[in-house]
Amino acid sequence: MSITPPYPPNPGFNPTTPLKPKNWLTENIVATVVGLFCCCGVNAITGVIGIVFSTQVDTKYNAGDYAGAESSANTAKIMFYVTAGLVALGVILNIISFFLYGGLMFKQMQDNYNYSM
């Protein structure tokens, strides 16, 4: 019966090191850019804050500050949800104003046309 020797331990692996949290950078960038193009831009403030905290996740994790990286990841996630919510609210308000004021302008154009005839 042959016994295989155990594999040597991986020198870069430490079982006590927690996994790196998700940094939410891509989501924050997309939400900020979409908000700038289709809404009033107020959500850019929360988007930039989310981007800043997203970039801190990797830096803190690589420095060994695992609790700080987790805290920055949670803040970046919250800022993403706030920014995405503001984008959704802005899109809904834009759609409502388009139909409301677009209909009023169309009626006014019809009235002006009928008055001139």
Side-chain angles (χ1 to χ4, degrees), residues 46-83:
T46 58
V48 169
I49 293 170
I51 291 170
V52 168
F53 277 100
S54 296
T55 57
Q56 289 179 358
V57 173
D58 292 334
T59 306
K60 289 182 179 182
Y61 183 82
N62 292 333
D65 185 11
Y66 305 120
E70 188 70 35
S71 174
S72 292
N74 287 335
T75 305
K77 179 172 72 170
I78 290 169
M79 288 294 116
F80 164 69
Y81 286 130
V82 169
T83 305

Side-chain angles (χ1 to χ4, degrees), residues 30-114:
V30 168
T32 304
V33 170
V34 169
L36 284 174
F37 283 119
C38 70
C39 300
C40 62
V42 175
N43 55 357
I45 296 169
T46 58
V48 169
I49 293 170
I51 291 170
V52 168
F53 277 100
S54 296
T55 57
Q56 289 179 358
V57 173
D58 292 334
T59 306
K60 289 182 179 182
Y61 183 82
N62 292 333
D65 185 11
Y66 305 120
E70 188 70 35
S71 174
S72 292
N74 287 335
T75 305
K77 179 172 72 170
I78 290 169
M79 288 294 116
F80 164 69
Y81 286 130
V82 169
T83 305
L86 288 172
V87 167
L89 180 66
V91 168
I92 290 169
L93 290 175
N94 281 334
I95 290 171
I96 290 171
S97 66
F98 174 76
F99 284 113
L100 181 66
Y101 295 119
L104 292 175
M105 285 180 63
F106 185 70
K107 183 174 179 350
Q108 184 180 10
M109 286 171 43
Q110 282 182 330
D111 291 343
N112 287 342
Y113 180 75
N114 292 335

